[in-house]
Amino acid sequence: LGRAGLRKLNFSSGPAVLPEEVLRRAQEALWDLDGSGIGILEHSHRGKEFGRVLDRTEAAIREVGSIGDEFAVLFETAGATHHFALIPQNFLSRDATADYCHTGIWSGKAIDEAKRVGNVHVVCSGEANNFATTPTLCTYSPSPRYVHYTSNETIYGTQWASPPQGAPAPLICDASSDIFSRPLPLAGHGLIYAGAQKNLGPSGISLVIARRDFIASGNTDLSPLAQYRTYEAERSMHNTPNTFGVFVIGEVCRWILDNGGLAAMAERNARKAKLLYDALDASKVWRGHATPESRSLMNVTFRGTTKDLEEQLLARCESEGLSGLRGHRSVGGLRASIYNAFPEDGVRRLVTLMHEFER
Ligand SMILES: Cc1ncc(COP(=O)(O)O)c(C=O)c1O
């Protein structure tokens, strides 16, 4: 258990575990932001104190992701699902086509939203084998407006090892469940979006990293809050932003920098995931869902040989303070979400329990 023995090991898929240092700093800032005598929840978003928070959060995001000025960094008071709709509204039209990689439930939802606006061409699909594999062969349409993919499929536990190759249009990435877990692949991307509640901070806010020229190419006949250009022009302050969310994202990014940046995150995440995948590969009773080349380093999904065994392991985990391991209903079994802030020792605890059960 965590500090003071009070905190469980939180394997939740999101909202998810945050670094303890960040929680402590947030706790202090709730009471008194930067010695101002007013808490972060109470400060005006137009005041200089929050202005400094916004500045340092954007600066930290840019430093973490090595993001140049050709990209805008935006905060929206919305989850990733909101962007499923905003993206086609901004960049698609009735006669145009967008290409979508279909790797699971989240890409499916994004596709449904795009179909409301224009034509959708599915360039690859993992549906035939219950989304256990991320297809690498993409067949693009002749001139798509953009190519959308979900870098990490949170539910099935699959991940693109690298972005789709050879796209004939800007890539758009739903990076909700693996942003900042490894170096950010900006090349070829028009826009990357992520709901914050896994690797970045609290729910109710999303981060958008978008090329300024791509934003400028968007439709202009939408209400201001539905246009990415409004967030760019007004530094995400057209209306009151999620000020606390911006603060926490800034602290998380500072924690990433203090802990070696994205290269170090990637190394640690690979090590943590390997502990679990090695255990699955060596096991006769536990079996991973994702095929080896598509395995997610963030969400490890697995089944037991019987449902009873799965239930017993889940119950034992709960009783030992290992929480949030029940798999999504579409895959069943167990899912260990091991985002940046999840401790390596916690993964070892789970592996030890899996071994014990097998014996
Ligand atoms: C990959 C992915 N995309 C989108 C979403 C939806 O995010 P939100 O609930 O913030 O709308 C999730 C949520 O878990 C997700 O994992």
mmCIF file of all heavy atoms in Angstrom, residues 113-152:
data_model
loop_
_atom_site.group_PDB
_atom_site.id
_atom_site.type_symbol
_atom_site.label_atom_id
_atom_site.label_comp_id
_atom_site.label_asym_id
_atom_site.label_seq_id
_atom_site.Cartn_x
_atom_site.Cartn_y
_atom_site.Cartn_z
ATOM 1 N N GLU A 113 -19.470 9.048 -35.077
ATOM 2 C CA GLU A 113 -19.638 10.515 -35.084
ATOM 3 C C GLU A 113 -19.278 11.099 -36.449
ATOM 4 O O GLU A 113 -19.943 12.007 -36.932
ATOM 5 C CB GLU A 113 -18.773 11.164 -33.991
ATOM 6 C CG GLU A 113 -19.294 10.934 -32.591
ATOM 7 C CD GLU A 113 -20.655 11.558 -32.345
ATOM 8 O OE1 GLU A 113 -20.995 12.573 -32.987
ATOM 9 O OE2 GLU A 113 -21.395 11.014 -31.508
ATOM 10 N N ALA A 114 -18.210 10.577 -37.053
ATOM 11 C CA ALA A 114 -17.786 11.109 -38.357
ATOM 12 C C ALA A 114 -18.850 10.843 -39.417
ATOM 13 O O ALA A 114 -19.080 11.670 -40.315
ATOM 14 C CB ALA A 114 -16.447 10.496 -38.761
ATOM 15 N N LYS A 115 -19.527 9.697 -39.292
ATOM 16 C CA LYS A 115 -20.558 9.347 -40.283
ATOM 17 C C LYS A 115 -21.731 10.322 -40.265
ATOM 18 O O LYS A 115 -22.451 10.455 -41.242
ATOM 19 C CB LYS A 115 -21.077 7.922 -40.018
ATOM 20 C CG LYS A 115 -20.143 6.848 -40.534
ATOM 21 C CD LYS A 115 -20.737 5.473 -40.248
ATOM 22 C CE LYS A 115 -19.872 4.377 -40.858
ATOM 23 N NZ LYS A 115 -20.229 3.038 -40.298
ATOM 24 N N ARG A 116 -21.921 11.006 -39.166
ATOM 25 C CA ARG A 116 -22.994 12.005 -39.096
ATOM 26 C C ARG A 116 -22.690 13.198 -39.995
ATOM 27 O O ARG A 116 -23.574 13.939 -40.386
ATOM 28 C CB ARG A 116 -23.131 12.565 -37.673
ATOM 29 C CG ARG A 116 -23.618 11.614 -36.641
ATOM 30 C CD ARG A 116 -23.535 12.346 -35.290
ATOM 31 N NE ARG A 116 -23.783 11.458 -34.193
ATOM 32 C CZ ARG A 116 -25.013 11.174 -33.732
ATOM 33 N NH1 ARG A 116 -26.060 11.743 -34.268
ATOM 34 N NH2 ARG A 116 -25.169 10.349 -32.735
ATOM 35 N N VAL A 117 -21.380 13.403 -40.265
ATOM 36 C CA VAL A 117 -20.964 14.626 -40.966
ATOM 37 C C VAL A 117 -20.616 14.364 -42.425
ATOM 38 O O VAL A 117 -20.955 15.156 -43.309
ATOM 39 C CB VAL A 117 -19.747 15.261 -40.241
ATOM 40 C CG1 VAL A 117 -19.292 16.531 -40.946
ATOM 41 C CG2 VAL A 117 -20.078 15.546 -38.785
ATOM 42 N N GLY A 118 -19.929 13.273 -42.712
ATOM 43 C CA GLY A 118 -19.468 13.041 -44.082
ATOM 44 C C GLY A 118 -19.247 11.567 -44.338
ATOM 45 O O GLY A 118 -19.831 10.713 -43.675
ATOM 46 N N ASN A 119 -18.367 11.265 -45.311
ATOM 47 C CA ASN A 119 -18.090 9.865 -45.659
ATOM 48 C C ASN A 119 -16.936 9.335 -44.823
ATOM 49 O O ASN A 119 -15.955 10.039 -44.596
ATOM 50 C CB ASN A 119 -17.712 9.753 -47.140
ATOM 51 C CG ASN A 119 -18.793 10.341 -48.020
ATOM 52 O OD1 ASN A 119 -19.963 9.979 -47.899
ATOM 53 N ND2 ASN A 119 -18.412 11.285 -48.875
ATOM 54 N N VAL A 120 -17.078 8.079 -44.420
ATOM 55 C CA VAL A 120 -16.004 7.437 -43.653
ATOM 56 C C VAL A 120 -15.504 6.229 -44.434
ATOM 57 O O VAL A 120 -16.301 5.411 -44.890
ATOM 58 C CB VAL A 120 -16.512 6.992 -42.265
ATOM 59 C CG1 VAL A 120 -15.480 6.102 -41.573
ATOM 60 C CG2 VAL A 120 -16.819 8.202 -41.396
ATOM 61 N N HIS A 121 -14.182 6.168 -44.588
ATOM 62 C CA HIS A 121 -13.578 4.978 -45.178
ATOM 63 C C HIS A 121 -12.753 4.303 -44.091
ATOM 64 O O HIS A 121 -11.886 4.927 -43.485
ATOM 65 C CB HIS A 121 -12.689 5.392 -46.364
ATOM 66 C CG HIS A 121 -11.846 4.273 -46.874
ATOM 67 N ND1 HIS A 121 -12.362 3.224 -47.610
ATOM 68 C CD2 HIS A 121 -10.524 4.022 -46.730
ATOM 69 C CE1 HIS A 121 -11.397 2.385 -47.895
ATOM 70 N NE2 HIS A 121 -10.267 2.836 -47.383
ATOM 71 N N VAL A 122 -13.050 3.034 -43.809
ATOM 72 C CA VAL A 122 -12.302 2.299 -42.783
ATOM 73 C C VAL A 122 -11.063 1.694 -43.446
ATOM 74 O O VAL A 122 -11.177 0.851 -44.332
ATOM 75 C CB VAL A 122 -13.187 1.216 -42.127
ATOM 76 C CG1 VAL A 122 -12.373 0.372 -41.156
ATOM 77 C CG2 VAL A 122 -14.362 1.868 -41.409
ATOM 78 N N VAL A 123 -9.892 2.161 -43.024
ATOM 79 C CA VAL A 123 -8.647 1.753 -43.729
ATOM 80 C C VAL A 123 -8.103 0.423 -43.218
ATOM 81 O O VAL A 123 -7.322 -0.234 -43.904
ATOM 82 C CB VAL A 123 -7.534 2.817 -43.630
ATOM 83 C CG1 VAL A 123 -7.939 4.084 -44.327
ATOM 84 C CG2 VAL A 123 -7.146 3.103 -42.201
ATOM 85 N N CYS A 124 -8.471 0.062 -42.009
ATOM 86 C CA CYS A 124 -8.056 -1.231 -41.472
ATOM 87 C C CYS A 124 -8.971 -1.531 -40.294
ATOM 88 O O CYS A 124 -9.527 -0.609 -39.689
ATOM 89 C CB CYS A 124 -6.591 -1.206 -41.023
ATOM 90 S SG CYS A 124 -6.254 -0.017 -39.718
ATOM 91 N N SER A 125 -9.138 -2.810 -39.998
ATOM 92 C CA SER A 125 -10.028 -3.173 -38.903
ATOM 93 C C SER A 125 -9.542 -4.424 -38.190
ATOM 94 O O SER A 125 -9.125 -5.389 -38.822
ATOM 95 C CB SER A 125 -11.450 -3.404 -39.436
ATOM 96 O OG SER A 125 -12.261 -3.931 -38.396
ATOM 97 N N GLY A 126 -9.608 -4.375 -36.874
ATOM 98 C CA GLY A 126 -9.218 -5.543 -36.079
ATOM 99 C C GLY A 126 -10.431 -6.339 -35.616
ATOM 100 O O GLY A 126 -10.314 -7.228 -34.776
ATOM 101 N N GLU A 127 -11.594 -6.024 -36.201
ATOM 102 C CA GLU A 127 -12.845 -6.591 -35.700
ATOM 103 C C GLU A 127 -12.892 -8.119 -35.824
ATOM 104 O O GLU A 127 -13.450 -8.802 -34.963
ATOM 105 C CB GLU A 127 -14.023 -5.972 -36.464
ATOM 106 C CG GLU A 127 -15.328 -6.100 -35.728
ATOM 107 C CD GLU A 127 -16.389 -5.135 -36.240
ATOM 108 O OE1 GLU A 127 -16.164 -4.463 -37.273
ATOM 109 O OE2 GLU A 127 -17.455 -5.065 -35.598
ATOM 110 N N ALA A 128 -12.282 -8.660 -36.902
ATOM 111 C CA ALA A 128 -12.402 -10.101 -37.183
ATOM 112 C C ALA A 128 -11.863 -10.955 -36.034
ATOM 113 O O ALA A 128 -12.343 -12.065 -35.826
ATOM 114 C CB ALA A 128 -11.696 -10.429 -38.489
ATOM 115 N N ASN A 129 -10.845 -10.466 -35.327
ATOM 116 C CA ASN A 129 -10.363 -11.295 -34.201
ATOM 117 C C ASN A 129 -10.579 -10.595 -32.852
ATOM 118 O O ASN A 129 -9.711 -10.592 -31.992
ATOM 119 C CB ASN A 129 -8.899 -11.736 -34.397
ATOM 120 C CG ASN A 129 -7.929 -10.584 -34.236
ATOM 121 O OD1 ASN A 129 -8.334 -9.426 -34.324
ATOM 122 N ND2 ASN A 129 -6.674 -10.885 -33.980
ATOM 123 N N ASN A 130 -11.760 -10.037 -32.710
ATOM 124 C CA ASN A 130 -12.158 -9.354 -31.476
ATOM 125 C C ASN A 130 -11.098 -8.347 -31.019
ATOM 126 O O ASN A 130 -10.783 -8.246 -29.842
ATOM 127 C CB ASN A 130 -12.473 -10.365 -30.360
ATOM 128 C CG ASN A 130 -13.238 -9.712 -29.206
ATOM 129 O OD1 ASN A 130 -13.875 -8.666 -29.386
ATOM 130 N ND2 ASN A 130 -13.165 -10.302 -28.022
ATOM 131 N N PHE A 131 -10.572 -7.614 -31.985
ATOM 132 C CA PHE A 131 -9.650 -6.505 -31.718
ATOM 133 C C PHE A 131 -8.440 -6.912 -30.864
ATOM 134 O O PHE A 131 -7.968 -6.133 -30.044
ATOM 135 C CB PHE A 131 -10.390 -5.325 -31.079
ATOM 136 C CG PHE A 131 -11.469 -4.760 -31.946
ATOM 137 C CD1 PHE A 131 -12.817 -4.916 -31.618
ATOM 138 C CD2 PHE A 131 -11.157 -4.094 -33.123
ATOM 139 C CE1 PHE A 131 -13.816 -4.407 -32.425
ATOM 140 C CE2 PHE A 131 -12.154 -3.579 -33.945
ATOM 141 C CZ PHE A 131 -13.484 -3.734 -33.591
ATOM 142 N N ALA A 132 -7.958 -8.127 -31.090
ATOM 143 C CA ALA A 132 -6.759 -8.569 -30.368
ATOM 144 C C ALA A 132 -5.497 -8.064 -31.057
ATOM 145 O O ALA A 132 -4.415 -8.068 -30.473
ATOM 146 C CB ALA A 132 -6.732 -10.091 -30.273
ATOM 147 N N THR A 133 -5.632 -7.637 -32.312
ATOM 148 C CA THR A 133 -4.464 -7.211 -33.092
ATOM 149 C C THR A 133 -4.705 -5.831 -33.680
ATOM 150 O O THR A 133 -5.809 -5.521 -34.127
ATOM 151 C CB THR A 133 -4.230 -8.202 -34.262
ATOM 152 O OG1 THR A 133 -4.070 -9.510 -33.708
ATOM 153 C CG2 THR A 133 -3.009 -7.849 -35.070
ATOM 154 N N THR A 134 -3.691 -5.003 -33.655
ATOM 155 C CA THR A 134 -3.741 -3.717 -34.359
ATOM 156 C C THR A 134 -3.253 -3.956 -35.782
ATOM 157 O O THR A 134 -2.089 -4.300 -35.971
ATOM 158 C CB THR A 134 -2.813 -2.688 -33.680
ATOM 159 O OG1 THR A 134 -3.253 -2.536 -32.334
ATOM 160 C CG2 THR A 134 -2.854 -1.352 -34.364
ATOM 161 N N PRO A 135 -4.128 -3.810 -36.774
ATOM 162 C CA PRO A 135 -3.686 -4.091 -38.147
ATOM 163 C C PRO A 135 -2.656 -3.071 -38.590
ATOM 164 O O PRO A 135 -2.778 -1.891 -38.259
ATOM 165 C CB PRO A 135 -4.962 -3.954 -38.978
ATOM 166 C CG PRO A 135 -6.052 -3.651 -38.022
ATOM 167 C CD PRO A 135 -5.471 -3.270 -36.714
ATOM 168 N N THR A 136 -1.640 -3.519 -39.282
ATOM 169 C CA THR A 136 -0.626 -2.549 -39.705
ATOM 170 C C THR A 136 -0.795 -2.183 -41.176
ATOM 171 O O THR A 136 -0.258 -1.187 -41.642
ATOM 172 C CB THR A 136 0.793 -3.100 -39.478
ATOM 173 O OG1 THR A 136 0.813 -4.444 -39.922
ATOM 174 C CG2 THR A 136 1.190 -3.037 -38.020
ATOM 175 N N LEU A 137 -1.554 -3.002 -41.902
ATOM 176 C CA LEU A 137 -1.747 -2.727 -43.325
ATOM 177 C C LEU A 137 -2.965 -1.824 -43.501
ATOM 178 O O LEU A 137 -4.091 -2.220 -43.185
ATOM 179 C CB LEU A 137 -1.968 -4.057 -44.064
ATOM 180 C CG LEU A 137 -1.730 -3.989 -45.571
ATOM 181 C CD1 LEU A 137 -0.279 -3.655 -45.878
ATOM 182 C CD2 LEU A 137 -2.138 -5.319 -46.206
ATOM 183 N N CYS A 138 -2.724 -0.598 -44.004
ATOM 184 C CA CYS A 138 -3.820 0.350 -44.167
ATOM 185 C C CYS A 138 -4.079 0.585 -45.651
ATOM 186 O O CYS A 138 -3.142 0.829 -46.414
ATOM 187 C CB CYS A 138 -3.469 1.685 -43.509
ATOM 188 S SG CYS A 138 -3.240 1.558 -41.736
ATOM 189 N N THR A 139 -5.340 0.537 -46.044
ATOM 190 C CA THR A 139 -5.692 0.844 -47.438
ATOM 191 C C THR A 139 -6.452 2.167 -47.428
ATOM 192 O O THR A 139 -7.638 2.224 -47.072
ATOM 193 C CB THR A 139 -6.590 -0.272 -48.017
ATOM 194 O OG1 THR A 139 -6.007 -1.521 -47.683
ATOM 195 C CG2 THR A 139 -6.702 -0.151 -49.522
ATOM 196 N N TYR A 140 -5.735 3.226 -47.803
ATOM 197 C CA TYR A 140 -6.315 4.572 -47.689
ATOM 198 C C TYR A 140 -7.232 4.872 -48.860
ATOM 199 O O TYR A 140 -7.085 4.313 -49.951
ATOM 200 C CB TYR A 140 -5.189 5.618 -47.631
ATOM 201 C CG TYR A 140 -4.272 5.422 -46.434
ATOM 202 C CD1 TYR A 140 -2.984 4.897 -46.603
ATOM 203 C CD2 TYR A 140 -4.688 5.732 -45.148
ATOM 204 C CE1 TYR A 140 -2.139 4.707 -45.518
ATOM 205 C CE2 TYR A 140 -3.851 5.540 -44.054
ATOM 206 C CZ TYR A 140 -2.583 5.029 -44.252
ATOM 207 O OH TYR A 140 -1.762 4.828 -43.170
ATOM 208 N N SER A 141 -8.159 5.799 -48.668
ATOM 209 C CA SER A 141 -8.990 6.277 -49.777
ATOM 210 C C SER A 141 -8.152 7.270 -50.600
ATOM 211 O O SER A 141 -7.103 7.725 -50.139
ATOM 212 C CB SER A 141 -10.266 6.928 -49.229
ATOM 213 O OG SER A 141 -9.938 8.098 -48.516
ATOM 214 N N PRO A 142 -8.596 7.610 -51.819
ATOM 215 C CA PRO A 142 -7.744 8.426 -52.708
ATOM 216 C C PRO A 142 -7.352 9.790 -52.129
ATOM 217 O O PRO A 142 -6.198 10.198 -52.236
ATOM 218 C CB PRO A 142 -8.588 8.590 -53.977
ATOM 219 C CG PRO A 142 -9.613 7.508 -53.903
ATOM 220 C CD PRO A 142 -9.833 7.163 -52.468
ATOM 221 N N SER A 143 -8.277 10.503 -51.549
ATOM 222 C CA SER A 143 -7.881 11.811 -50.992
ATOM 223 C C SER A 143 -8.680 12.120 -49.726
ATOM 224 O O SER A 143 -9.588 12.959 -49.744
ATOM 225 C CB SER A 143 -8.048 12.920 -52.030
ATOM 226 O OG SER A 143 -9.358 12.901 -52.521
ATOM 227 N N PRO A 144 -8.304 11.449 -48.647
ATOM 228 C CA PRO A 144 -9.027 11.684 -47.391
ATOM 229 C C PRO A 144 -8.695 13.065 -46.818
ATOM 230 O O PRO A 144 -7.627 13.619 -47.081
ATOM 231 C CB PRO A 144 -8.495 10.584 -46.470
ATOM 232 C CG PRO A 144 -7.134 10.265 -46.995
ATOM 233 C CD PRO A 144 -7.195 10.485 -48.475
ATOM 234 N N ARG A 145 -9.608 13.581 -46.030
ATOM 235 C CA ARG A 145 -9.375 14.883 -45.376
ATOM 236 C C ARG A 145 -8.369 14.711 -44.238
ATOM 237 O O ARG A 145 -7.571 15.574 -43.955
ATOM 238 C CB ARG A 145 -10.727 15.384 -44.861
ATOM 239 C CG ARG A 145 -10.713 16.732 -44.234
ATOM 240 C CD ARG A 145 -10.453 17.828 -45.254
ATOM 241 N NE ARG A 145 -10.487 19.118 -44.583
ATOM 242 C CZ ARG A 145 -9.455 19.668 -43.937
ATOM 243 N NH1 ARG A 145 -8.294 19.047 -43.902
ATOM 244 N NH2 ARG A 145 -9.593 20.840 -43.347
ATOM 245 N N TYR A 146 -8.456 13.567 -43.544
ATOM 246 C CA TYR A 146 -7.511 13.235 -42.467
ATOM 247 C C TYR A 146 -7.573 11.737 -42.222
ATOM 248 O O TYR A 146 -8.488 11.051 -42.729
ATOM 249 C CB TYR A 146 -7.832 14.016 -41.172
ATOM 250 C CG TYR A 146 -9.221 13.793 -40.610
ATOM 251 C CD1 TYR A 146 -9.530 12.683 -39.819
ATOM 252 C CD2 TYR A 146 -10.244 14.716 -40.864
ATOM 253 C CE1 TYR A 146 -10.805 12.484 -39.310
ATOM 254 C CE2 TYR A 146 -11.529 14.520 -40.352
ATOM 255 C CZ TYR A 146 -11.798 13.397 -39.579
ATOM 256 O OH TYR A 146 -13.063 13.199 -39.078
ATOM 257 N N VAL A 147 -6.601 11.220 -41.471
ATOM 258 C CA VAL A 147 -6.576 9.792 -41.110
ATOM 259 C C VAL A 147 -6.575 9.702 -39.584
ATOM 260 O O VAL A 147 -5.651 10.184 -38.930
ATOM 261 C CB VAL A 147 -5.325 9.094 -41.685
ATOM 262 C CG1 VAL A 147 -5.269 7.635 -41.222
ATOM 263 C CG2 VAL A 147 -5.301 9.181 -43.213
ATOM 264 N N HIS A 148 -7.622 9.106 -39.050
ATOM 265 C CA HIS A 148 -7.786 9.051 -37.584
ATOM 266 C C HIS A 148 -7.408 7.671 -37.059
ATOM 267 O O HIS A 148 -7.779 6.648 -37.624
ATOM 268 C CB HIS A 148 -9.256 9.341 -37.243
ATOM 269 C CG HIS A 148 -9.552 9.340 -35.760
ATOM 270 N ND1 HIS A 148 -9.678 8.176 -35.011
ATOM 271 C CD2 HIS A 148 -9.741 10.366 -34.883
ATOM 272 C CE1 HIS A 148 -9.940 8.491 -33.749
ATOM 273 N NE2 HIS A 148 -9.975 9.814 -33.642
ATOM 274 N N TYR A 149 -6.662 7.661 -35.949
ATOM 275 C CA TYR A 149 -6.381 6.381 -35.282
ATOM 276 C C TYR A 149 -6.363 6.572 -33.771
ATOM 277 O O TYR A 149 -6.231 7.694 -33.272
ATOM 278 C CB TYR A 149 -5.062 5.771 -35.788
ATOM 279 C CG TYR A 149 -3.803 6.472 -35.307
ATOM 280 C CD1 TYR A 149 -2.995 5.887 -34.330
ATOM 281 C CD2 TYR A 149 -3.413 7.709 -35.808
ATOM 282 C CE1 TYR A 149 -1.838 6.513 -33.874
ATOM 283 C CE2 TYR A 149 -2.274 8.344 -35.363
ATOM 284 C CZ TYR A 149 -1.485 7.743 -34.398
ATOM 285 O OH TYR A 149 -0.354 8.380 -33.943
ATOM 286 N N THR A 150 -6.499 5.472 -33.061
ATOM 287 C CA THR A 150 -6.514 5.470 -31.585
ATOM 288 C C THR A 150 -5.208 4.804 -31.162
ATOM 289 O O THR A 150 -5.057 3.589 -31.332
ATOM 290 C CB THR A 150 -7.721 4.641 -31.070
ATOM 291 O OG1 THR A 150 -8.893 5.057 -31.771
ATOM 292 C CG2 THR A 150 -7.904 4.802 -29.578
ATOM 293 N N SER A 151 -4.273 5.612 -30.646
ATOM 294 C CA SER A 151 -2.918 5.054 -30.443
ATOM 295 C C SER A 151 -2.904 3.912 -29.435
ATOM 296 O O SER A 151 -2.103 2.984 -29.550
ATOM 297 C CB SER A 151 -1.943 6.153 -30.019
ATOM 298 O OG SER A 151 -2.467 6.886 -28.934
ATOM 299 N N ASN A 152 -3.816 3.946 -28.461
ATOM 300 C CA ASN A 152 -3.883 2.862 -27.479
ATOM 301 C C ASN A 152 -5.349 2.529 -27.224
ATOM 302 O O ASN A 152 -6.131 3.409 -26.866
ATOM 303 C CB ASN A 152 -3.201 3.295 -26.179
ATOM 304 C CG ASN A 152 -3.124 2.164 -25.162
ATOM 305 O OD1 ASN A 152 -2.292 1.273 -25.280
ATOM 306 N ND2 ASN A 152 -4.004 2.182 -24.169
#
